[in-house]
Amino acid sequence: MVSCKVVSWFLPRLSRRSSVKVHESVLVCSMGEDGVVARLCNVKALLGILAGAGASYGIYKLVSRVRSDCGRGGRTSSTREEGSRAERRPALQPGTLLAKVSGIPLLRGSDRRAAALRSSGAMEPHHVEKLLALLQSGAAEKVHVLVTLGNCAAFSHNQDLIRELGGLPVIAGLLSDPLPEVRAQALNALNNLSMNVRNQEQLKVYVPQVLELIEMSPVNSDLQLASLRLLTNMSVTNNHQHLLRNSITLFLSLLVVSNETLQIQVLKVLVNLSANPEMMEDIVQAQAPASLVLLFDGRTHLEVLLRLLTFVGNLKTWQDSFLTAAPIGGPSCHGRDSVYRVLLAENSELRHRLPALLSHPDVEVKAQVARLLT
């Protein structure tokens, strides 16, 4: 019997009481944020479950054409979604590695977390080698293999083992697979693997490809969500944030057309970037949609609003030193549609909208707004 221990977050999560947002990372199990599969019941068995994704087309077309359809990407019931995924699941051949694990029961929610924290252990190298060989063979079970590797990559020992056995480029190679569900599960596996600093050194070369997936995928799709989760982990430290410096406008454009789930994930990336003063010039000079300020509204989802206020709070924290830095020169250097003009300038529309939020029912919202107005 082999048991496993879940890897802990390597940096703290959101601290609402902090004036500068701490970085966030994301651990994914089968497209979810609520933990990892906590039980590996056989030395030859690893868990596989299935999640789907969408087809692709350009985000910038959506920025200009989809605003009237922003809510269309909304939510479907989890029961219906899981049912459709089950229909797409390829048949498992009796006696194979994946067939042996198909009957393992899943733990849900807090039960899964508790069981994971009580367990300990790791995969054997020959298990990883067999799974990687299946991916390279072009087997129809690629989705199952990727989910299995992604779940196992929630554990620190396995993260190292997969890297040492050359698994990172094998998995990343599937980012260009013709099937969207394969690409989405490859992203999920890479997301968990990216919670390892050594793995990030190898994964950084795939950031441009991940950004392209965000740009070319449907708004609110599983592909976009999985891509943003990976970038959240890659932006936890300052080491690789420069790879995102030309994508600020992409994130802001996505923010104004996406649903709440995707907005939160976009904001996790933006908040991570805004906590790094070296990224400030790129952020405040990036072009921002004028409609961005409309999100600063009492009807905006609370978690989205709090992260928006944290993002602006981080920008204002560094504003004074930023404006006096030699490369910047002053406010005149910022374009009319820049983040600076839209969110930070004294005559910005945001400045006029913030006082209304002082009557917001949430105490933390009022506290953050008060800090921004002082």
Side-chain angles (χ1 to χ4, degrees):
M1 301 290 287
V2 176
S3 55
C4 295
K5 178 172 66 179
V6 66
V7 64
S8 61
W9 303 96
F10 66 98
L11 280 176
R13 287 183 63 81
L14 179 65
S15 173
R16 290 185 178 177
R17 296 289 184 261
S18 170
S19 60
V20 176
K21 171 64 176 60
V22 295
H23 293 99
E24 295 189 66
S25 56
V26 181
L27 181 64
V28 172
C29 176
S30 304
M31 299 300 292
E33 290 186 304
D34 59 346
V36 298
V37 174
R39 188 177 297 169
L40 299 178
C41 296
N42 189 284
V43 74
K44 295 182 179 180
L46 300 173
L47 178 63
I49 58 179
L50 184 63
S56 62
Y57 62 92
I59 183 174
Y60 288 117
K61 292 181 181 178
L62 288 166
V63 171
S64 59
R65 293 167 50 191
V66 181
R67 286 184 178 159
S68 62
D69 301 323
C70 288
R72 187 179 298 172
R75 305 163 183 162
T76 57
S77 80
S78 58
T79 302
R80 188 184 314 121
E81 192 170 317
E82 289 301 319
S84 64
R85 290 170 184 166
E87 292 171 3
R88 294 196 299 269
R89 184 178 292 121
L92 298 179
Q93 297 301 316
T96 63
L97 175 64
L98 293 172
K100 291 177 181 179
V101 303
S102 61
I104 296 178
L106 297 182
L107 300 176
R108 298 182 180 275
S110 59
D111 292 338
R112 183 188 299 165
R113 282 197 191 96
L117 292 171
R118 288 195 301 268
S119 61
S120 60
M123 292 175 64
E124 295 293 334
H126 64 277
H127 297 146
V128 176
E129 290 171 345
K130 288 179 181 178
L131 292 171
L132 294 175
L134 279 173
L135 288 182
Q136 294 173 296
S137 69
E141 299 167 333
K142 280 189 291 189
V143 170
H144 291 274
V145 175
L146 286 167
V147 177
T148 299
L149 286 168
N151 289 338
C152 295
F155 310 111
S156 56
H157 173 87
N158 298 337
Q159 294 167 0
D160 291 327
L161 185 60
I162 292 171
R163 181 189 68 252
E164 292 163 0
L165 293 175
L168 298 184
V170 173
I171 297 170
L174 295 174
L175 294 178
S176 56
D177 191 274
L179 294 177
E181 57 189 356
V182 173
R183 297 198 298 271
Q185 291 301 339
L187 286 163
N188 284 342
L190 293 175
N191 173 69
N192 284 355
L193 287 163
S194 70
M195 296 188 71
N196 181 301
V197 174
R198 291 185 178 180
N199 287 353
Q200 287 193 5
E201 285 300 316
Q202 291 190 28
L203 294 176
K204 64 184 180 182
V205 300
Y206 303 107
V207 169
Q209 190 173 359
V210 174
L211 289 167
E212 184 179 1
L213 282 172
I214 294 174
E215 183 175 346
M216 301 304 296
S217 299
V219 169
N220 302 321
S221 65
D222 284 347
L223 277 170
Q224 281 193 338
L225 185 60
S227 298
L228 287 163
R229 283 171 171 162
L230 174 55
L231 294 183
T232 300
N233 283 353
M234 293 297 292
S235 62
V236 163
T237 69
N238 297 349
N239 297 339
H240 311 300
Q241 291 182 354
H242 64 280
L243 300 172
L244 306 178
R245 66 172 69 250
N246 295 323
S247 301
I248 306 301
T249 297
L250 170 64
F251 297 141
L252 295 173
S253 299
L254 185 57
L255 191 59
V256 301
V257 298
S258 57
N259 62 19
E260 293 162 0
T261 299
L262 210 71
Q263 285 176 328
I264 290 170
Q265 206 62 53
V266 171
L267 284 164
K268 287 181 179 180
V269 177
L270 288 172
V271 168
N272 282 354
L273 298 180
S274 67
N276 178 5
E278 295 182 1
M279 290 293 297
M280 205 58 54
E281 178 178 355
D282 299 287
I283 294 173
V284 301
Q285 294 199 65
Q287 185 176 3
S291 56
L292 179 62
V293 296
L294 300 179
L295 293 174
F296 293 84
D297 185 272
R299 294 165 293 184
T300 297
H301 186 276
L302 179 59
E303 192 171 355
V304 173
L305 182 57
L306 283 169
R307 282 186 163 89
L308 278 166
L309 292 170
T310 301
F311 173 60
V312 176
N314 284 355
L315 298 184
K316 287 190 68 66
T317 297
W318 302 105
Q319 185 175 11
D320 292 340
S321 58
F322 178 77
L323 292 177
T324 57
I328 310 306
S332 61
C333 294
H334 302 107
R336 183 179 60 182
D337 298 327
S338 67
V339 170
Y340 175 82
R341 294 293 187 186
V342 173
L343 298 181
L344 297 177
E346 286 295 325
N347 60 346
S348 68
E349 184 179 346
L350 176 61
R351 194 75 180 176
H352 299 297
R353 295 180 67 91
L354 284 176
L357 289 175
L358 289 173
S359 59
H360 194 281
D362 185 79
V363 174
E364 184 61 24
V365 168
K366 289 188 284 191
Q368 290 205 39
V369 170
R371 285 195 293 268
L372 291 174
L373 292 174
T374 56

PDB file of all heavy atoms in Angstrom, residues 62 65-76 219-220 256-260 263:
ATOM      1  N   LEU A  62     -13.562  38.850 -29.015  1.00  0.00           N
ATOM      2  CA  LEU A  62     -14.585  38.865 -27.977  1.00  0.00           C
ATOM      3  C   LEU A  62     -14.610  40.198 -27.250  1.00  0.00           C
ATOM      4  O   LEU A  62     -15.666  40.671 -26.833  1.00  0.00           O
ATOM      5  CB  LEU A  62     -14.331  37.733 -26.984  1.00  0.00           C
ATOM      6  CG  LEU A  62     -14.633  36.347 -27.562  1.00  0.00           C
ATOM      7  CD1 LEU A  62     -14.031  35.277 -26.671  1.00  0.00           C
ATOM      8  CD2 LEU A  62     -16.112  36.133 -27.677  1.00  0.00           C
ATOM      9  N   ARG A  65     -16.665  42.251 -29.609  1.00  0.00           N
ATOM     10  CA  ARG A  65     -17.959  41.779 -30.086  1.00  0.00           C
ATOM     11  C   ARG A  65     -18.825  41.114 -29.041  1.00  0.00           C
ATOM     12  O   ARG A  65     -20.024  40.950 -29.241  1.00  0.00           O
ATOM     13  CB  ARG A  65     -17.740  40.777 -31.222  1.00  0.00           C
ATOM     14  CG  ARG A  65     -17.148  41.399 -32.467  1.00  0.00           C
ATOM     15  CD  ARG A  65     -16.654  40.353 -33.428  1.00  0.00           C
ATOM     16  NE  ARG A  65     -17.673  39.322 -33.677  1.00  0.00           N
ATOM     17  CZ  ARG A  65     -17.412  38.196 -34.303  1.00  0.00           C
ATOM     18  NH1 ARG A  65     -16.199  37.939 -34.729  1.00  0.00           N
ATOM     19  NH2 ARG A  65     -18.368  37.319 -34.493  1.00  0.00           N
ATOM     20  N   VAL A  66     -18.226  40.694 -27.914  1.00  0.00           N
ATOM     21  CA  VAL A  66     -18.967  39.848 -26.988  1.00  0.00           C
ATOM     22  C   VAL A  66     -19.495  40.592 -25.777  1.00  0.00           C
ATOM     23  O   VAL A  66     -20.116  40.011 -24.910  1.00  0.00           O
ATOM     24  CB  VAL A  66     -18.067  38.662 -26.544  1.00  0.00           C
ATOM     25  CG1 VAL A  66     -18.797  37.739 -25.596  1.00  0.00           C
ATOM     26  CG2 VAL A  66     -17.615  37.864 -27.754  1.00  0.00           C
ATOM     27  N   ARG A  67     -19.260  41.892 -25.659  1.00  0.00           N
ATOM     28  CA  ARG A  67     -19.687  42.589 -24.458  1.00  0.00           C
ATOM     29  C   ARG A  67     -21.190  42.467 -24.242  1.00  0.00           C
ATOM     30  O   ARG A  67     -21.661  42.433 -23.114  1.00  0.00           O
ATOM     31  CB  ARG A  67     -19.279  44.054 -24.543  1.00  0.00           C
ATOM     32  CG  ARG A  67     -17.785  44.177 -24.315  1.00  0.00           C
ATOM     33  CD  ARG A  67     -17.299  45.598 -24.275  1.00  0.00           C
ATOM     34  NE  ARG A  67     -15.874  45.593 -24.016  1.00  0.00           N
ATOM     35  CZ  ARG A  67     -15.072  46.594 -24.302  1.00  0.00           C
ATOM     36  NH1 ARG A  67     -15.551  47.681 -24.842  1.00  0.00           N
ATOM     37  NH2 ARG A  67     -13.799  46.519 -24.023  1.00  0.00           N
ATOM     38  N   SER A  68     -21.928  42.417 -25.351  1.00  0.00           N
ATOM     39  CA  SER A  68     -23.371  42.238 -25.190  1.00  0.00           C
ATOM     40  C   SER A  68     -23.725  40.826 -24.786  1.00  0.00           C
ATOM     41  O   SER A  68     -24.842  40.537 -24.393  1.00  0.00           O
ATOM     42  CB  SER A  68     -24.088  42.559 -26.507  1.00  0.00           C
ATOM     43  OG  SER A  68     -23.653  41.669 -27.529  1.00  0.00           O
ATOM     44  N   ASP A  69     -22.729  39.911 -24.921  1.00  0.00           N
ATOM     45  CA  ASP A  69     -22.981  38.505 -24.584  1.00  0.00           C
ATOM     46  C   ASP A  69     -22.156  38.060 -23.397  1.00  0.00           C
ATOM     47  O   ASP A  69     -21.874  36.877 -23.248  1.00  0.00           O
ATOM     48  CB  ASP A  69     -22.618  37.611 -25.782  1.00  0.00           C
ATOM     49  CG  ASP A  69     -23.413  37.957 -27.010  1.00  0.00           C
ATOM     50  OD1 ASP A  69     -24.613  38.296 -26.868  1.00  0.00           O
ATOM     51  OD2 ASP A  69     -22.849  37.887 -28.099  1.00  0.00           O
ATOM     52  N   CYS A  70     -21.724  38.987 -22.549  1.00  0.00           N
ATOM     53  CA  CYS A  70     -20.792  38.656 -21.469  1.00  0.00           C
ATOM     54  C   CYS A  70     -21.304  37.544 -20.585  1.00  0.00           C
ATOM     55  O   CYS A  70     -20.530  36.746 -20.096  1.00  0.00           O
ATOM     56  CB  CYS A  70     -20.516  39.891 -20.600  1.00  0.00           C
ATOM     57  SG  CYS A  70     -19.488  41.093 -21.428  1.00  0.00           S
ATOM     58  N   GLY A  71     -22.598  37.533 -20.328  1.00  0.00           N
ATOM     59  CA  GLY A  71     -23.123  36.529 -19.413  1.00  0.00           C
ATOM     60  C   GLY A  71     -23.304  35.178 -20.051  1.00  0.00           C
ATOM     61  O   GLY A  71     -23.650  34.226 -19.381  1.00  0.00           O
ATOM     62  N   ARG A  72     -23.086  35.064 -21.377  1.00  0.00           N
ATOM     63  CA  ARG A  72     -23.386  33.829 -22.054  1.00  0.00           C
ATOM     64  C   ARG A  72     -22.513  32.691 -21.588  1.00  0.00           C
ATOM     65  O   ARG A  72     -22.905  31.541 -21.620  1.00  0.00           O
ATOM     66  CB  ARG A  72     -23.206  34.029 -23.562  1.00  0.00           C
ATOM     67  CG  ARG A  72     -23.658  32.838 -24.385  1.00  0.00           C
ATOM     68  CD  ARG A  72     -23.476  33.121 -25.858  1.00  0.00           C
ATOM     69  NE  ARG A  72     -24.283  34.257 -26.281  1.00  0.00           N
ATOM     70  CZ  ARG A  72     -24.196  34.800 -27.477  1.00  0.00           C
ATOM     71  NH1 ARG A  72     -23.347  34.331 -28.354  1.00  0.00           N
ATOM     72  NH2 ARG A  72     -24.958  35.845 -27.778  1.00  0.00           N
ATOM     73  N   GLY A  73     -21.289  33.020 -21.179  1.00  0.00           N
ATOM     74  CA  GLY A  73     -20.388  31.956 -20.761  1.00  0.00           C
ATOM     75  C   GLY A  73     -20.653  31.482 -19.378  1.00  0.00           C
ATOM     76  O   GLY A  73     -19.867  30.762 -18.828  1.00  0.00           O
ATOM     77  N   GLY A  74     -21.742  31.879 -18.771  1.00  0.00           N
ATOM     78  CA  GLY A  74     -22.100  31.602 -17.394  1.00  0.00           C
ATOM     79  C   GLY A  74     -21.979  30.172 -16.971  1.00  0.00           C
ATOM     80  O   GLY A  74     -21.254  29.401 -17.518  1.00  0.00           O
ATOM     81  N   ARG A  75     -22.726  29.804 -15.989  1.00  0.00           N
ATOM     82  CA  ARG A  75     -22.516  28.550 -15.320  1.00  0.00           C
ATOM     83  C   ARG A  75     -23.476  27.497 -15.826  1.00  0.00           C
ATOM     84  O   ARG A  75     -24.613  27.771 -16.110  1.00  0.00           O
ATOM     85  CB  ARG A  75     -22.702  28.727 -13.827  1.00  0.00           C
ATOM     86  CG  ARG A  75     -21.812  29.829 -13.289  1.00  0.00           C
ATOM     87  CD  ARG A  75     -22.287  30.249 -11.950  1.00  0.00           C
ATOM     88  NE  ARG A  75     -21.496  31.354 -11.463  1.00  0.00           N
ATOM     89  CZ  ARG A  75     -21.873  32.135 -10.494  1.00  0.00           C
ATOM     90  NH1 ARG A  75     -23.020  31.967  -9.906  1.00  0.00           N
ATOM     91  NH2 ARG A  75     -21.094  33.119 -10.091  1.00  0.00           N
ATOM     92  N   THR A  76     -22.981  26.287 -15.874  1.00  0.00           N
ATOM     93  CA  THR A  76     -23.833  25.148 -16.112  1.00  0.00           C
ATOM     94  C   THR A  76     -23.817  24.319 -14.855  1.00  0.00           C
ATOM     95  O   THR A  76     -22.905  24.407 -14.060  1.00  0.00           O
ATOM     96  CB  THR A  76     -23.292  24.304 -17.285  1.00  0.00           C
ATOM     97  OG1 THR A  76     -21.963  23.915 -16.978  1.00  0.00           O
ATOM     98  CG2 THR A  76     -23.303  25.108 -18.582  1.00  0.00           C
ATOM     99  N   VAL A 219     -13.827  32.783 -24.184  1.00  0.00           N
ATOM    100  CA  VAL A 219     -13.932  33.400 -22.867  1.00  0.00           C
ATOM    101  C   VAL A 219     -14.694  32.469 -21.927  1.00  0.00           C
ATOM    102  O   VAL A 219     -15.698  31.881 -22.303  1.00  0.00           O
ATOM    103  CB  VAL A 219     -14.623  34.770 -22.961  1.00  0.00           C
ATOM    104  CG1 VAL A 219     -14.986  35.295 -21.574  1.00  0.00           C
ATOM    105  CG2 VAL A 219     -13.721  35.760 -23.672  1.00  0.00           C
ATOM    106  N   ASN A 220     -14.201  32.353 -20.722  1.00  0.00           N
ATOM    107  CA  ASN A 220     -14.788  31.520 -19.664  1.00  0.00           C
ATOM    108  C   ASN A 220     -14.605  30.023 -19.895  1.00  0.00           C
ATOM    109  O   ASN A 220     -15.237  29.209 -19.223  1.00  0.00           O
ATOM    110  CB  ASN A 220     -16.282  31.818 -19.465  1.00  0.00           C
ATOM    111  CG  ASN A 220     -16.541  33.267 -19.137  1.00  0.00           C
ATOM    112  OD1 ASN A 220     -15.783  33.886 -18.397  1.00  0.00           O
ATOM    113  ND2 ASN A 220     -17.609  33.821 -19.691  1.00  0.00           N
ATOM    114  N   VAL A 256     -12.875  42.371 -18.116  1.00  0.00           N
ATOM    115  CA  VAL A 256     -14.150  43.071 -18.316  1.00  0.00           C
ATOM    116  C   VAL A 256     -15.177  42.258 -19.096  1.00  0.00           C
ATOM    117  O   VAL A 256     -16.333  42.669 -19.201  1.00  0.00           O
ATOM    118  CB  VAL A 256     -13.939  44.441 -19.011  1.00  0.00           C
ATOM    119  CG1 VAL A 256     -13.035  45.328 -18.188  1.00  0.00           C
ATOM    120  CG2 VAL A 256     -13.391  44.261 -20.423  1.00  0.00           C
ATOM    121  N   VAL A 257     -14.779  41.105 -19.654  1.00  0.00           N
ATOM    122  CA  VAL A 257     -15.742  40.314 -20.440  1.00  0.00           C
ATOM    123  C   VAL A 257     -16.016  38.942 -19.840  1.00  0.00           C
ATOM    124  O   VAL A 257     -16.889  38.228 -20.324  1.00  0.00           O
ATOM    125  CB  VAL A 257     -15.248  40.131 -21.899  1.00  0.00           C
ATOM    126  CG1 VAL A 257     -15.122  41.462 -22.595  1.00  0.00           C
ATOM    127  CG2 VAL A 257     -13.952  39.340 -21.960  1.00  0.00           C
ATOM    128  N   SER A 258     -15.299  38.562 -18.784  1.00  0.00           N
ATOM    129  CA  SER A 258     -15.399  37.189 -18.277  1.00  0.00           C
ATOM    130  C   SER A 258     -16.382  37.083 -17.117  1.00  0.00           C
ATOM    131  O   SER A 258     -16.840  38.087 -16.566  1.00  0.00           O
ATOM    132  CB  SER A 258     -14.015  36.687 -17.848  1.00  0.00           C
ATOM    133  OG  SER A 258     -13.453  37.534 -16.871  1.00  0.00           O
ATOM    134  N   ASN A 259     -16.666  35.845 -16.727  1.00  0.00           N
ATOM    135  CA  ASN A 259     -17.536  35.612 -15.575  1.00  0.00           C
ATOM    136  C   ASN A 259     -16.740  35.723 -14.276  1.00  0.00           C
ATOM    137  O   ASN A 259     -15.529  35.932 -14.281  1.00  0.00           O
ATOM    138  CB  ASN A 259     -18.246  34.260 -15.686  1.00  0.00           C
ATOM    139  CG  ASN A 259     -17.287  33.074 -15.706  1.00  0.00           C
ATOM    140  OD1 ASN A 259     -16.134  33.181 -15.292  1.00  0.00           O
ATOM    141  ND2 ASN A 259     -17.767  31.937 -16.195  1.00  0.00           N
ATOM    142  N   GLU A 260     -17.418  35.563 -13.153  1.00  0.00           N
ATOM    143  CA  GLU A 260     -16.780  35.789 -11.851  1.00  0.00           C
ATOM    144  C   GLU A 260     -15.625  34.828 -11.586  1.00  0.00           C
ATOM    145  O   GLU A 260     -14.588  35.220 -11.029  1.00  0.00           O
ATOM    146  CB  GLU A 260     -17.823  35.673 -10.744  1.00  0.00           C
ATOM    147  CG  GLU A 260     -18.874  36.784 -10.788  1.00  0.00           C
ATOM    148  CD  GLU A 260     -20.114  36.448  -9.989  1.00  0.00           C
ATOM    149  OE1 GLU A 260     -20.162  35.348  -9.397  1.00  0.00           O
ATOM    150  OE2 GLU A 260     -21.047  37.273  -9.952  1.00  0.00           O
ATOM    151  N   GLN A 263     -12.729  36.031 -13.628  1.00  0.00           N
ATOM    152  CA  GLN A 263     -12.282  37.331 -13.110  1.00  0.00           C
ATOM    153  C   GLN A 263     -11.393  37.151 -11.878  1.00  0.00           C
ATOM    154  O   GLN A 263     -10.361  37.810 -11.746  1.00  0.00           O
ATOM    155  CB  GLN A 263     -13.486  38.197 -12.753  1.00  0.00           C
ATOM    156  CG  GLN A 263     -14.212  38.790 -13.949  1.00  0.00           C
ATOM    157  CD  GLN A 263     -15.460  39.552 -13.531  1.00  0.00           C
ATOM    158  OE1 GLN A 263     -16.123  39.200 -12.548  1.00  0.00           O
ATOM    159  NE2 GLN A 263     -15.790  40.594 -14.265  1.00  0.00           N
TER     160      GLN A 263
END
